[in-house]
Amino acid sequence: MKTKKKYHEERQFWSKLETAVGHCAMLEVHGNRELLLSGCRGIVDYDSEKIVVNTISGSVMIHGQNLCLSVFRGDILSIEGHITQIQFGGGET
């Protein structure tokens, strides 16, 4: 049985984790063909070989061939194509 103190510590931990994750971009890569990105704030540059996106955690640059935005809804972005490189810019674009 959990003590009140242990229960309170667990609640604090989960609350802090929820707050931290809410302020970070999340990146999910499926092989080298699809990338899902949440926490987007806007597209800075876009062509078939490079896509630069501002996120709540800084900028992300995706390089590849035949890149295309398949989904862009709210703060969610999906990129398809042959992904060769992912760079994290920390705010610079």
Side-chain angles (χ1 to χ4, degrees):
M1 183 174 217
K2 291 183 184 176
T3 65
K4 283 186 177 184
K5 182 179 178 187
K6 182 73 173 167
Y7 178 76
H8 181 70
E9 288 172 357
E10 283 183 15
R11 285 189 56 196
Q12 282 183 323
F13 169 79
W14 288 111
S15 177
K16 287 178 183 177
L17 181 63
E18 214 173 86
T19 300
V21 170
H23 299 329
C24 296
M26 299 285 288
L27 182 74
E28 184 177 325
V29 180
H30 298 260
N32 64 349
R33 296 291 179 188
E34 184 181 22
L35 179 142
L36 302 170
L37 182 63
S38 65
C40 298
R41 289 196 168 163
I43 299 168
V44 176
D45 192 12
Y46 173 45
D47 63 38
S48 65
E49 295 181 351
K50 178 178 73 172
I51 298 174
V52 182
V53 180
N54 276 336
T55 73
I56 57 179
S57 302
S59 66
V60 178
M61 187 180 306
I62 298 95
H63 296 272
Q65 291 89 37
N66 302 317
L67 300 177
C68 69
L69 297 171
S70 57
V71 175
F72 187 38
R73 242 186 347 243
D75 74 337
I76 305 280
L77 176 79
S78 176
I79 297 172
E80 293 181 352
H82 181 78
I83 299 166
T84 58
Q85 184 179 15
I86 303 168
Q87 287 180 285
F88 301 94
E92 309 102 37
T93 56

